[in-house]
Amino acid sequence: MRISYTEKVILHCLTKIGNQRTIFSILHLLNGKKTSQTIQDAHLFHLTEFFHLFPRLQRNEFTEIYKRMEKVNIIIEKENLSFKLTNKGQKIINGSSNPLPAYVNGWQYHRYTARFWERLSLLVQVVSQLNKQNQRYIPIQTKKEVHYWLKSLLKQLKWKREDLAKQLFGELSALLGKDESIRPILLVIRLSGYSKIGLTAEQVSDKLRMNEDEYHIHFLNILHYMIQQVEKSRTEFPILQQLILDDDHSFSLLTKSTSKTYQLLQQGLSIDEIAAYRNLKKGTIEDHIVEIALNIQDFTIDKYVSQFNQQQIERASKNVSTKQLKYIRQSVPGANYFEIRLVLAKNGIR
Amino acid sequence: MEKMLQKIFGYSSFRKGQRETISSILSGNDTVAMLPTGTGKSLCYQLPGYMLEGSVIVVSPLLSLMQDQVDQLMMIGEKRVIAFNSFLSYEEKYRALHQLNEYKFIFTSPEMLKSVSFIERLSKLNIALFVIDEAHCISQWGYDFRPDYLKIGEVRTRLGSPLTLALTATATAEVKQDIKASLAIENSNEFIYSVDRPNIALLVEHVNSSQEKMDVMLDYLRKMKGPGIIYFSSKKMAERTAMVLKEQGFGDVMAYHGGLTQENRKLIQQQFLYGQLDIICATSAFGMGINKDNLRFVIHFHMPMQLESYLQEIGRAGRDGGNSLALLLYAAGDEQLPLQLAEGELLSDIQIDALLHWFSQVPEGWHQLSAYESEVTAIAGLTETNYRLLKSFNDQAVADGQGYDSLLTLKQMMANQYNVKRKKINDMLQWIYSSACRRKKILQYFDEELTIKVDNCCDICGIDVNNFTISNHLEKREVESDWEKLLAEILIN
Ligand SMILES: [Zn+2]
């Protein structure tokens, strides 16, 4: 039996999550929903690469997909909206491993992927036009901030316009040629320049006869590959490394609001003080702290959970095979939900 | 003037009406110019912008149109240009507002002109020229009346009555009068040019069913020379047809509509301009603002809501002066769709009664409508367009010190507007069923006379189809599969 690419992705997530969460937690994961529940699940179930891979997947589309899989008996409902693979489903998935190509990492890169593409596509177009000394063209990206970024970059780079094109070409072909398993054509075909306008994603998948979702993931794979490689050896790519530099330093793993909370924590403010200072609910600040614990390796949670409770919660989460909070809560009556989430968050990345 | 034209825009001569309009502005006269679509209306404010000191403010009704105009200026290397509209983020707005004087061209929407702080900043500028694009939107008699446009006159006064240019492609005598009165530019110069485009042949095909419509269209497409646009009244039909055309091997075809992302919209427009696409299946909501000179045909798969927009849309063909074809496909009963659309755009009596009842329970809602948007929308079942209409009426009424019972007058207003729209649809329908020369009929509608003899005029007068057809079949373009070669082609060759 043939299943679609998206179905493969969903089934893979389902093998990890099982019936411990509802099937919609997979939708939230693929959408990249920024709630502490979803972020935590991504870590607990080792599905961080899947985070934010399909930000535009709609609830009704998702429902259609899982209903179909239920109908053809690949998955079966265990209890209220939580599902398991059937034997038939197991057989299908056994033949194939993780459906994602090697470099995709949604959690790590989702925040810069779109911007990286916007910058790259505009840079290539503008450099190509400069090379031809043509000023009459319509920029392919409309966002003002990308234009500001490019303007200051061009001021900063020391190459002459004809050398600039050569340098950029050199960097791109070296980077993309290093590992051709990424299939560079899938990205290059989207680029626009003096003589040619790039294709839309729909057009590429049409021309290359690829499933649209599968193409989208392979496109992300190339972008994530590029970000990763450039991060690793910045000096090799003097122009491309500019694509991952950031003007407001938010190229960090935290959302903006959480970074602010983090700053205030480092200044020694308590949760209540921060809530009052920022005019936010206490629960929101607690969500921030869970996010910080997930992302900042050396963040210590001792201030918020006693050593005793930490041990109790860790033990309970191991004994109870399920990771549902309410079962842990039942076996550690002395801990509240915030403390449990925080401990799980800290353990999730270990 | 010619020197500037050459230097900045790279054109060697003016098109019909441009020189007259620009001269009038440069001698300091308020000006109303009616230039047919496809003749370069925007040059009429772009060029003076470079010859006068100060900023040019352009009020434009459609956000997509605005972006197209910004792009056009960017394309000639103009960086001092901004579209000040609701697409800007809060930060971008803030930044733009504080450096407004650095922009030469400021495009904005009538909605934005309600913002007190924006008007405040504008009034501090040295305004060289105040432009109202698509000025027919001011008039209740216009086919695209927008209540927000009524306030432009007031704004103009607040800005110290700067030199003003009102532009439109199509306006009947009544509409022209409304424009002048509303802007208080009764003594303006007027430049009116014929709406006729003799190089576009006009064809109507009557069919019996939507299947037959598709078949007839495919027949034409097999013979016709591209590139071309096909207009649809729904996004779904545009997409479905694009799919059919791709499958049937009509070269490279794409759908183009409001549901696309900004980036894809850009790519498709540009591909079309660069000759990488043969046919675009579009909805009328999106003007292909980017000038493509060599469009050979425009097809209407559904009838437009009035002759004015029909003319605008077919006017995109043949800007290079070459022979082009406008084909409208009509199946009996097609007018139901525009009639429904017209009704849906307006507030019904039932909706107004529901609103009256609600405001009698929550009178404070009348004075802070925005705060109750979702509630009001829900109880009266308003669409987005409906709500905007209500908001606009409410703004005016509150400013005039009127209570919610003034909504009763809205009923009459709606009835009048519906009648206008219905009449427009009816005029369109009569034109479709006409047995007299189609060109003559259109000109009559705009109080003009047909004075020249046009070869290949219309299906009634007779057309030699050989002038428009070619035999070569469109093929999809091959894609380069060697990524390094392609990258080199894009970047360095
Ligand atoms: Zn005729």
Side-chain angles (χ1 to χ4, degrees):
Chain A
M1 152 158 228
R2 285 186 62 88
I3 57 170
S4 75
Y5 185 77
T6 324
E7 287 172 338
K8 259 183 225 165
V9 169
I10 294 171
L11 280 185
H12 182 84
C13 294
L14 193 60
T15 55
K16 297 284 182 83
I17 288 180
N19 57 347
Q20 299 184 53
R21 296 284 186 276
T22 73
I23 191 122
F24 285 103
S25 65
I26 298 177
L27 175 66
H28 298 155
L29 177 74
L30 297 175
N31 280 166
K33 214 171 159 202
K34 298 238 171 63
T35 59
S36 50
Q37 177 75 57
T38 299
I39 296 173
Q40 208 164 338
D41 283 352
H43 287 89
L44 281 176
F45 297 109
H46 303 285
L47 288 169
T48 45
E49 318 94 272
F50 290 83
F51 189 79
H52 203 265
L53 292 189
F54 295 110
R56 274 186 286 275
L57 180 63
Q58 300 287 321
R59 196 181 173 91
N60 56 347
E61 296 170 298
F62 180 81
T63 305
E64 230 169 76
I65 298 173
Y66 89 72
K67 286 254 153 99
R68 191 198 87 93
M69 292 198 291
E70 188 182 17
K71 206 168 148 206
V72 298
N73 209 12
I74 298 179
I75 59 172
I76 182 165
E77 188 164 5
K78 278 292 168 197
E79 52 196 292
N80 237 344
L81 285 177
S82 63
F83 284 78
K84 261 197 145 157
L85 272 76
T86 60
N87 286 338
K88 190 174 164 195
Q90 287 290 355
K91 255 181 220 149
I92 291 171
I93 207 83
N94 275 346
S96 53
S97 49
N98 187 334
L100 297 187
Y103 298 98
V104 175
N105 193 334
W107 174 249
Q108 195 161 6
Y109 299 121
H110 75 276
R111 241 173 257 136
Y112 355 117
T113 311
R115 183 165 49 188
F116 183 83
W117 168 246
E118 285 161 9
R119 289 177 171 185
L120 176 68
S121 53
L122 188 65
L123 174 69
V124 167
Q125 186 194 20
V126 170
V127 169
S128 161
Q129 298 281 7
L130 276 176
N131 190 38
K132 287 283 176 186
Q133 310 203 13
N134 180 35
Q135 293 202 338
R136 296 185 182 192
Y137 63 94
I138 291 173
I140 226 71
Q141 296 293 344
T142 34
K143 279 192 196 153
K144 285 265 176 221
E145 67 220 47
V146 188
H147 287 255
Y148 290 136
W149 168 82
L150 186 67
K151 214 167 146 188
S152 70
L153 172 66
L154 291 178
K155 256 187 226 154
Q156 196 184 321
L157 295 175
K158 52 193 184 301
W159 289 281
K160 280 186 285 179
R161 50 169 72 153
E162 55 280 17
D163 298 335
L164 185 60
K166 276 189 204 123
Q167 172 68 27
L168 182 58
F169 174 75
E171 286 187 27
L172 279 172
S173 60
L175 176 59
L176 295 172
K178 226 189 319 184
D179 181 355
E180 294 215 22
S181 76
I182 58 168
R183 298 175 65 191
I185 190 70
L186 300 183
L187 177 110
V188 176
I189 206 166
R190 300 273 298 270
L191 294 169
S192 302
Y194 174 78
S195 58
K196 228 190 183 88
I197 299 297
L199 301 188
T200 66
E202 183 196 343
Q203 286 172 322
V204 183
S205 48
D206 192 31
K207 294 232 179 211
L208 301 181
R209 281 166 229 270
M210 268 175 102
N211 167 288
E212 235 180 285
D213 289 331
E214 187 168 7
Y215 170 69
H216 167 70
I217 295 299
H218 278 90
F219 179 67
L220 285 184
N221 186 49
I222 304 178
L223 295 179
H224 291 178
Y225 163 83
M226 293 174 84
I227 299 173
Q228 192 199 84
Q229 294 296 311
V230 173
E231 248 175 357
K232 241 199 254 166
S233 31
R234 287 174 187 263
T235 46
E236 253 180 80
F237 306 106
I239 299 181
L240 292 178
Q241 63 127 351
Q242 298 281 341
L243 294 167
I244 59 171
L245 284 187
D246 197 39
D247 14 70
D248 61 356
H249 303 286
S250 64
F251 246 75
S252 83
L253 285 167
L254 300 177
T255 55
K256 258 197 185 141
S257 185
T258 303
S259 316
K260 204 164 220 172
T261 296
Y262 188 42
Q263 275 171 24
L264 295 172
L265 281 175
Q266 285 173 318
Q267 288 168 25
L269 270 66
S270 72
I271 296 181
D272 287 318
E273 283 167 339
I274 295 173
Y277 178 79
R278 300 197 55 194
N279 200 11
L280 291 170
K281 287 201 186 97
K282 190 176 172 189
T284 308
I285 306 298
E286 290 179 348
D287 283 349
H288 290 167
I289 295 176
V290 173
E291 194 188 325
I292 296 167
L294 275 169
N295 290 291
I296 309 286
Q297 297 257 350
D298 53 6
F299 180 75
T300 162
I301 60 169
D302 297 349
K303 229 172 150 179
Y304 311 101
V305 196
S306 69
Q307 281 294 339
F308 177 74
N309 271 356
Q310 284 187 41
Q311 283 163 11
Q312 293 287 309
I313 293 166
E314 270 176 53
R315 190 168 309 141
S317 73
K318 271 176 206 138
N319 288 344
V320 193
S321 69
T322 160
K323 282 162 181 154
Q324 288 187 1
L325 299 184
K326 72 177 170 204
Y327 296 114
I328 300 176
R329 176 88 203 268
Q330 276 163 13
S331 38
V332 192
N336 63 29
Y337 278 121
F338 170 57
E339 292 174 320
I340 297 171
R341 282 166 52 212
L342 200 50
V343 174
L344 291 180
K346 197 67 199 159
N347 289 345
I349 49 171
R350 263 184 210 145
Chain B
M1 243 161 76
E2 268 82 1
K3 254 191 213 153
M4 291 292 282
L5 184 69
Q6 177 69 44
K7 200 180 117 206
I8 300 173
F9 298 92
Y11 300 137
S12 54
S13 64
F14 285 104
R15 294 203 204 167
K16 200 165 77 177
Q18 288 176 335
R19 178 205 298 280
E20 294 78 356
T21 306
I22 294 169
S23 302
S24 161
I25 295 165
L26 291 179
S27 7
N29 298 305
D30 293 331
T31 305
V32 176
M34 185 179 122
L35 302 169
T37 307
T39 52
K41 274 190 296 163
S42 30
L43 190 87
C44 295
Y45 59 80
Q46 290 170 345
L47 188 60
Y50 287 100
M51 303 180 72
L52 298 168
E53 210 168 288
S55 321
V56 176
I57 297 168
V58 184
V59 185
S60 187
L62 287 174
L63 293 177
S64 55
L65 209 68
M66 221 183 279
Q67 189 57 46
D68 290 343
Q69 284 157 335
V70 169
D71 287 344
Q72 274 183 32
L73 281 164
M74 296 266 223
M75 202 155 97
I76 58 165
E78 180 57 64
K79 299 270 158 35
R80 299 166 299 165
V81 47
I82 186 166
F84 198 89
N85 57 33
S86 49
F87 277 169
L88 295 184
S89 67
Y90 179 76
E91 277 162 40
E92 285 173 322
K93 244 182 231 168
Y94 184 85
R95 176 147 37 164
L97 210 50
H98 285 267
Q99 50 189 39
L100 214 51
N101 53 335
E102 288 173 24
Y103 295 105
K104 183 83 203 174
F105 296 95
I106 302 166
F107 291 86
T108 191
S109 61
E111 283 87 5
M112 275 296 146
L113 289 178
K114 288 185 194 162
S115 152
V116 180
S117 53
F118 184 46
I119 297 287
E120 177 72 14
R121 302 295 299 193
L122 283 180
S123 65
K124 295 203 174 106
L125 298 180
N126 172 18
I127 299 172
L129 185 60
F130 187 65
V131 184
I132 296 93
D133 202 3
E134 312 293 336
H136 55 265
C137 295
I138 284 182
S139 169
Q140 295 222 39
W141 308 108
Y143 67 96
D144 197 11
F145 170 56
R146 287 160 192 258
D148 286 337
Y149 256 64
L150 286 175
K151 279 161 219 142
I152 300 179
E154 212 180 295
V155 171
R156 180 176 176 270
T157 317
R158 292 250 290 280
L159 298 179
S161 304
L163 183 61
T164 297
L165 167 66
L167 286 169
T168 177
T170 47
T172 57
E174 283 163 317
V175 173
K176 256 180 309 190
Q177 203 37 55
D178 272 7
I179 293 174
K180 287 183 171 183
S182 176
L183 294 172
I185 50 169
E186 274 90 354
N187 297 320
S188 55
N189 286 342
E190 212 181 86
F191 297 95
I192 309 296
Y193 291 88
S194 173
V195 296
D196 189 30
R197 298 278 308 281
N199 62 324
I200 303 175
L202 309 170
L203 257 84
V204 176
E205 281 279 356
H206 290 259
V207 296
N208 293 314
S209 66
S210 55
Q211 185 52 50
E212 192 189 339
K213 204 190 247 185
M214 185 64 87
D215 294 342
V216 168
M217 184 175 78
L218 291 179
D219 256 2
Y220 269 98
L221 288 176
R222 273 185 204 106
K223 294 179 290 190
M224 273 191 309
K225 195 177 153 89
I229 305 182
I230 309 170
Y231 279 108
F232 298 85
S233 56
S234 82
K235 173 181 143 184
K236 216 163 145 193
M237 269 309 286
E239 277 192 327
R240 198 180 298 160
T241 310
M243 196 88 90
V244 171
L245 296 185
K246 274 185 216 168
E247 279 163 9
Q248 302 248 349
F250 283 99
D252 283 294
V253 183
M254 281 303 278
Y256 182 96
H257 50 72
L260 298 173
T261 62
Q262 280 269 8
E263 184 175 326
N264 284 349
R265 220 178 286 171
K266 277 265 138 94
L267 289 171
I268 295 169
Q269 273 185 355
Q270 293 296 298
Q271 289 171 357
F272 197 44
L273 198 64
Y274 274 59
Q276 293 171 218
L277 289 175
D278 305 298
I279 298 172
I280 293 252
C281 297
T283 54
S284 53
F286 280 82
M288 302 287 296
I290 287 150
N291 292 314
K292 183 168 175 66
D293 283 340
N294 63 342
L295 271 189
R296 291 280 71 91
F297 65 81
V298 170
I299 296 176
H300 281 88
F301 197 82
H302 299 119
M303 67 180 273
M305 289 176 79
Q306 62 282 310
L307 277 163
E308 284 93 334
S309 54
Y310 173 70
L311 272 190
Q312 289 225 346
E313 283 159 8
I314 67 166
R316 301 191 171 115
R319 293 187 179 188
D320 56 3
N323 280 342
S324 314
L325 204 64
L327 169 66
L328 188 149
L329 298 155
Y330 174 82
D334 271 4
E335 62 277 15
Q336 289 312 316
L337 192 60
L339 280 170
Q340 278 167 19
L341 286 172
E343 216 177 320
E345 282 171 5
L346 303 170
L347 288 163
S348 69
D349 280 5
I350 298 174
Q351 286 174 315
I352 294 176
D353 285 337
L355 289 168
L356 276 166
H357 179 72
W358 188 82
F359 282 120
S360 72
Q361 313 277 311
V362 193
E364 65 272 24
W366 183 248
H367 293 279
Q368 32 183 318
L369 186 57
S370 310
Y372 293 92
E373 178 174 348
S374 51
E375 237 175 305
V376 170
T377 302
I379 63 113
L382 304 181
T383 63
E384 230 184 285
T385 325
N386 289 159
Y387 177 77
R388 249 185 288 134
L389 214 154
L390 172 68
K391 180 83 177 76
S392 174
F393 179 83
N394 167 267
D395 282 350
Q396 195 60 47
V398 169
D400 296 346
Q402 291 175 332
Y404 65 82
D405 49 346
S406 59
L407 277 174
L408 283 169
T409 60
L410 190 59
K411 277 192 185 176
Q412 193 51 49
M413 257 174 82
M414 291 293 108
N416 292 345
Q417 279 188 33
Y418 181 66
N419 285 336
V420 171
K421 284 178 197 257
R422 210 179 48 191
K423 182 174 177 311
K424 298 269 176 199
I425 294 168
N426 206 30
D427 288 340
M428 183 84 224
L429 206 56
Q430 283 196 4
W431 180 81
I432 289 172
Y433 278 111
S434 165
S435 53
C437 170
R438 300 199 184 277
R439 195 171 305 271
K440 207 167 150 188
K441 280 269 168 193
I442 287 183
L443 290 176
Q444 260 171 23
Y445 181 80
F446 291 102
D447 312 310
E448 283 188 49
E449 264 177 56
L450 185 60
T451 50
I452 48 166
K453 163 100 185 73
V454 176
D455 296 330
N456 294 304
C457 172
C458 64
D459 55 319
I460 309 278
C461 298
I463 285 181
D464 181 0
V465 187
N466 291 323
N467 280 309
F468 304 95
T469 54
I470 46 149
S471 50
N472 69 327
H473 192 69
L474 291 171
E475 289 285 335
K476 271 198 190 179
R477 292 154 186 79
E478 284 297 311
V479 288
E480 173 65 67
S481 56
D482 181 338
W483 69 268
E484 268 195 288
K485 233 163 117 185
L486 184 58
L487 186 62
E489 192 193 323
I490 290 167
L491 258 176
I492 46 182
N493 292 337

